[in-house]
Amino acid sequence: MRDDLKSRYAALASEVDGGGLPSAGDLRRAADRRSRRRVSVLAGAAVAAMTAGGGAVLVSSPAATPPAPPPQPTSSPSAPTTSAPTKATATPTTPPARPTSPPARPVVRSIPERAFLDLPSDMRADGLSRSPTGAGLEVPALCDDPLRDDPAATARRSFETPYRGPDDPAGSTLRGTVTQTIIAYRPGGAADLMRRVRDDVDSCRTRTSGGLTVTIRAEAAPRYGDESIQVLEEVRAPADTNGPTEWDVRAVVIRVGDVVTVVMVDGWERSPSEPADVPIFARRAVETIEEWR
């Protein structure tokens, strides 16, 4: 074994002697090349591993030229935009003056005959027309006589007119008499009179006068003018009185502004009054006063 090892060393020595040993500089350069190749291989392997794992790698390489931007579409003329209409701002103006109340009507000092109602043509009695009424017979007395002469009134006038029924033949007995009184007041006076009449009717049911007993009651009726009150007076006379001992009178007290009119209907010669005639005369009374005023 030992001899064999020697022979092999001898053979190795002969090979070295034949080829010759490289110098020290050659050995260093060769070692440097091997080191650089090893580093390059290791760096390449590291880059591949990091790319596969999603890591970021900084590589010093020339910057890539960015791709050119896509061509822009050729602009076409756009339709003119219409702006939404703006609400016009009103120019501040001076507020209108507050409306003033209409001027007050002048106080009535006299009442013309044209202010009184006209009978319908089919109720006019031949040869008979209106005539002034005597004091004390133109209005119902009620209890406290609120419709009698009133010092607060500025004018007063009354007329009475006999009339016949619309279906009565010519020459027949008259149906009754319609008496109208018009009383004018200063502002507020007419409304005050209506209040007093209403209080009188509500508080008094019976009165006596000259042996007559009068029963008073308010009647339901349509409204006329600004306000109205309809009254029925039933009269009873003593048994020894000549002629009828019972009769009635219907009256409507109506306010039209500052004017009060009293329309009173009674039967001819103490006969019963006709209720259907009252609204005919009341409406006509209001119409003529409104035309006058």
Side-chain angles (χ1 to χ4, degrees), residues 222 224 254 278-288:
Y224 307 105
I254 307 169
V278 177
I280 297 174
F281 301 142
R283 285 192 295 266
R284 283 178 169 262
V286 173
E287 291 171 359
T288 52

Side-chain angles (χ1 to χ4, degrees), residues 3-277:
D3 293 335
D4 182 58
L5 182 61
K6 288 182 179 181
S7 61
R8 290 190 179 197
Y9 272 118
L12 177 62
S14 62
E15 290 177 2
V16 171
D17 290 339
L21 292 171
S23 64
D26 291 337
L27 290 174
R28 284 192 299 270
R29 283 190 293 271
D32 291 340
R33 283 194 297 270
R34 284 194 298 271
S35 296
R36 285 195 295 269
R37 282 197 298 271
R38 187 179 297 114
V39 169
S40 297
V41 172
L42 292 175
V47 169
M50 293 182 69
T51 301
V57 179
L58 295 177
V59 179
S60 177
S61 61
T65 304
Q72 297 292 329
T74 305
S75 61
S76 59
S78 59
T81 57
T82 304
S83 59
T86 58
K87 185 177 181 181
T89 304
T91 304
T93 58
T94 304
R98 180 176 298 177
T100 58
S101 57
R105 291 181 175 180
V107 176
V108 176
R109 299 296 181 182
S110 63
I111 301 170
E113 190 171 342
R114 63 182 175 84
F116 291 83
L117 67 91
D118 284 323
L119 296 179
S121 59
D122 60 354
M123 299 181 75
R124 295 171 185 169
D126 296 337
L128 298 175
S129 60
R130 69 166 66 106
S131 60
T133 306
L137 302 175
E138 75 281 18
V139 292
L142 302 180
C143 285
D144 295 331
D145 281 350
L147 296 171
R148 297 299 180 189
D149 291 338
D150 187 348
T154 59
R156 183 186 184 108
R157 195 173 185 183
S158 300
F159 283 95
E160 65 177 8
T161 309
Y163 71 94
R164 66 182 179 87
D167 300 324
D168 294 345
S172 60
T173 303
L174 296 178
R175 175 177 286 187
T177 301
V178 53
T179 303
Q180 182 182 5
T181 300
I182 298 178
I183 312 169
Y185 288 87
R186 291 183 176 86
D192 181 65
L193 174 63
M194 296 297 291
R195 179 189 57 76
R196 288 187 279 121
V197 170
R198 190 173 287 108
D199 290 345
D200 193 331
V201 174
D202 291 343
S203 62
C204 181
R205 291 291 181 265
T206 305
R207 69 177 176 86
T208 58
S209 176
L212 302 177
T213 301
V214 182
T215 301
I216 305 165
R217 60 186 176 91
E219 285 192 313
R223 173 177 169 174
Y224 307 105
D226 296 317
E227 55 179 320
S228 60
I229 306 167
Q230 183 163 319
V231 179
L232 172 65
E233 285 192 328
E234 296 174 322
V235 184
R236 178 175 294 177
D240 59 353
T241 302
N242 293 329
T245 58
E246 294 183 4
W247 64 93
D248 60 52
V249 177
R250 282 181 164 84
V252 184
V253 185
I254 307 169
R255 181 177 70 85
V256 182
D258 291 321
V259 171
V260 171
T261 185
V262 182
V263 178
M264 187 168 63
V265 178
D266 60 342
W268 186 253
E269 295 181 347
R270 296 184 177 181
S271 61
S273 62
E274 180 57 53
D277 296 341

